[in-house]
Amino acid sequence: TWRSIAGPGFSSSYSGTTETHNDQHVITIDPTNPNRVWIGNDGGLNLFAFYPPNSYTHSTAANVNLGFTMFYEIALHPTNSSWYIGGAQDNAGPASLGNNTFWSNISSGDGSGVAINSANPAEQYSACNFQQIFKTTDNWSTSQIITPVWSSVNLSPNLIGKLTYDPSSGNLYATNSGY
């Protein structure tokens, strides 16, 4: 949530439902109006406007019809070109499940490795923070967590890992270690 930090004797009220995403990457003052600030981050683009007469601040998401994310990895459905899943930095596991204009999230946190079984595409995998692995066998109508107990193999996984599905063996490989 965005908050104003101001000097002594200054107060500001805020309205709007827009919250910025963490990890701000660019902040610039609008060259046509110094009371407007554009903020670019992992979640897209936001416009903040300050109204001096009443110290009023308003935030607006500027992502209308724009999709913003940074993918670490994507997996494509073998027969449906409008079905793909991804692991996204700070934006979980975005998935276009047949409709490219509507995306859902199939995991949480920082997304990482993803995989789709090419022989049985309803079986899919999505990993997130510290290699927590989600699996579905029904195209994400339901899912279960299948994360291994990393401590049992004396590993402390990194934040972001990779998944590889081997269709010839039916094995899922999670590549991630602290080394």
Side-chain angles (χ1 to χ4, degrees), residues 160-177:
I160 302 303
K162 180 165 176 54
L163 296 180
T164 302
Y165 185 83
D166 179 6
S168 63
S169 69
N171 291 328
L172 177 72
Y173 298 96
T175 308
N176 189 331
S177 77

Side-chain angles (χ1 to χ4, degrees), residues 15 33 35-36 48-60:
S15 83
N33 182 345
N35 291 322
R36 293 169 24 134
F48 286 89
F50 173 67
Y51 301 95
N54 58 7
S55 296
Y56 174 77
T57 309
H58 184 78
S59 170
T60 306

Side-chain angles (χ1 to χ4, degrees), residues 8-25:
F10 179 87
S11 65
S12 175
S13 63
Y14 167 80
S15 83
T17 57
T18 303
E19 295 182 3
T20 66
H21 193 280
N22 52 0
D23 290 346
Q24 309 307 321
H25 296 288

Side-chain angles (χ1 to χ4, degrees), residues 41-44 66-72 87-92 94 103:
N41 53 55
D42 294 343
L66 298 175
F68 288 92
T69 197
M70 183 179 97
F71 284 101
Y72 287 121
Q89 197 263 336
D90 273 348
N91 287 301
W103 290 70

